[in-house]
Amino acid sequence: VVNFIMLKELLHNKKILTVILTYNEEKHIRQVINDIQQEYYISDILVIDGESKDRTVSIAQELGAWVIDIPANLGIGGAMEMAFLFAKEKKYDYLVRIDGDGQHIPKHIPKLLLPILQNKADIIIGSRFKNGWDQYKSSLLRFFAIRFFSFIISAFIKQKIYDTTSGMFVVNKKVIEYLSGLKNSEYSEVVTYLILKKANFNILEVPVSMNQRIGSKSSFTFLKSFYYVSLGIMSLFLTKMTRTNDT
């Protein structure tokens, strides 16, 4: 249960940016933005769109969101690189990331904000599986892929991470500045947690519910995620003998 009075006090004079990644989400984007705007916390909204062919961009602009168009082939990594650069340039204290397909539920954002405002971690992940692997239905391939990456990443960072493919998270200013300096669009959310843990950032998972994906095609595939994780694992091995810069 979120202590809303405490959260409101902690949010005083804090700048928050909510980043929404979109691609042909005209069926969902209006509701997503409306839900964010109806929450009591103050947050600016930035939509990063990968060359949508429908009305996603015009609807977002109509509702007062900033919109940045990027080439679709830059993917999630390129979109988030742009988001972190934007947040750093505009001096935001916190960045919230959700998808534009309606899967992530904005009313859960306060559950992620409160612990990060209390300095309990540098990144708070909205986790579908923290309270059990049966809390969210997915395809058999996706389910086993998520379990596989949970095992691999948890072993490497020596911390249990259940929802390694969650695209719903909140990060603080230190993480914004760190990730904005990487400038590597190959990174996905699957390997971001490896990178942050290697850099001595604190990670916390908070259980949330999510809607089932309707109509939109996930960018997640087993082979693509295996590729990203392999890059991260190779990076860990190559940098094992070097000292990571203090955060």
Side-chain angles (χ1 to χ4, degrees):
V1 178
V2 176
N3 185 327
F4 291 105
I5 295 177
M6 180 185 297
L7 184 57
K8 186 175 181 179
E9 292 175 352
L10 292 170
L11 283 171
H12 183 64
N13 290 330
K14 301 296 184 183
K15 290 183 65 179
I16 300 173
L17 178 68
T18 297
V19 175
I20 308 173
L21 305 191
T22 60
Y23 177 69
N24 292 336
E25 300 295 354
E26 67 175 9
K27 294 181 180 179
H28 308 285
I29 191 61
R30 184 180 299 277
Q31 186 64 56
V32 172
I33 292 177
N34 283 338
D35 287 347
I36 294 170
Q37 292 174 333
Q38 287 170 8
E39 295 294 338
Y40 69 93
Y41 58 87
I42 299 172
S43 176
D44 296 328
I45 299 174
L46 172 65
V47 171
I48 300 185
D49 186 76
E51 298 181 315
S52 289
K53 304 299 190 293
D54 59 10
R55 296 184 60 245
T56 298
V57 169
S58 61
I59 292 172
Q61 291 172 331
E62 171 193 327
L63 296 174
W66 282 311
V67 177
I68 297 177
D69 292 307
I70 65 169
N73 61 6
L74 290 182
I76 293 173
M80 288 312 301
E81 180 181 325
M82 181 62 67
F84 288 123
L85 288 170
F86 182 94
K88 180 182 179 180
E89 176 68 23
K90 298 294 184 180
K91 295 180 170 56
Y92 282 95
D93 298 296
Y94 301 95
L95 182 148
V96 179
R97 181 249 160 123
I98 66 173
D99 290 337
D101 60 6
Q103 183 183 28
H104 302 146
I105 304 173
K107 73 177 182 180
H108 292 319
I109 293 175
K111 293 177 63 177
L112 309 186
L113 277 173
L114 185 57
I116 205 166
L117 288 164
Q118 294 172 323
N119 298 314
K120 292 183 178 180
D122 300 298
I123 174 170
I124 311 292
I125 303 168
S127 176
R128 292 163 288 184
F129 307 111
K130 182 70 182 291
N131 284 345
W133 292 108
D134 60 345
Q135 298 300 301
Y136 182 86
K137 295 181 179 180
S138 59
S139 67
L140 191 62
L141 173 62
R142 185 179 177 89
F143 175 76
F144 282 110
I146 291 170
R147 292 290 299 268
F148 172 76
F149 293 123
S150 172
F151 173 79
I152 293 294
I153 292 176
S154 298
F156 266 87
I157 71 174
K158 296 181 172 58
Q159 175 185 341
K160 186 63 176 179
I161 301 292
Y162 292 88
D163 199 347
T164 56
T165 64
S166 174
M168 183 179 189
F169 57 73
V170 179
V171 300
N172 62 18
K173 181 174 284 188
K174 290 191 299 181
V175 173
I176 291 171
E177 293 179 352
Y178 181 77
L179 291 179
S180 66
L182 290 181
K183 295 182 174 60
N184 191 331
S185 61
E186 288 296 315
Y187 294 138
S188 70
E189 64 263 67
V190 179
V191 77
T192 296
Y193 310 134
L194 284 170
I195 296 168
L196 292 178
K197 194 66 176 183
K198 184 181 70 174
N200 297 319
F201 287 103
N202 294 318
I203 301 173
L204 178 67
E205 274 187 290
V206 171
V208 298
S209 59
M210 294 188 189
N211 296 320
Q212 296 294 315
R213 189 183 301 273
I214 301 174
S216 303
K217 183 179 180 181
S218 173
S219 63
F220 176 96
T221 66
F222 183 85
L223 290 177
K224 182 184 292 185
S225 296
F226 186 83
Y227 166 71
Y228 287 137
V229 171
S230 297
L231 286 179
I233 292 172
M234 288 174 63
S235 175
L236 285 175
F237 278 122
L238 291 173
T239 59
K240 187 176 182 181
M241 303 301 293
T242 64
R243 181 178 180 273
T244 302
N245 292 331
D246 292 335
T247 59

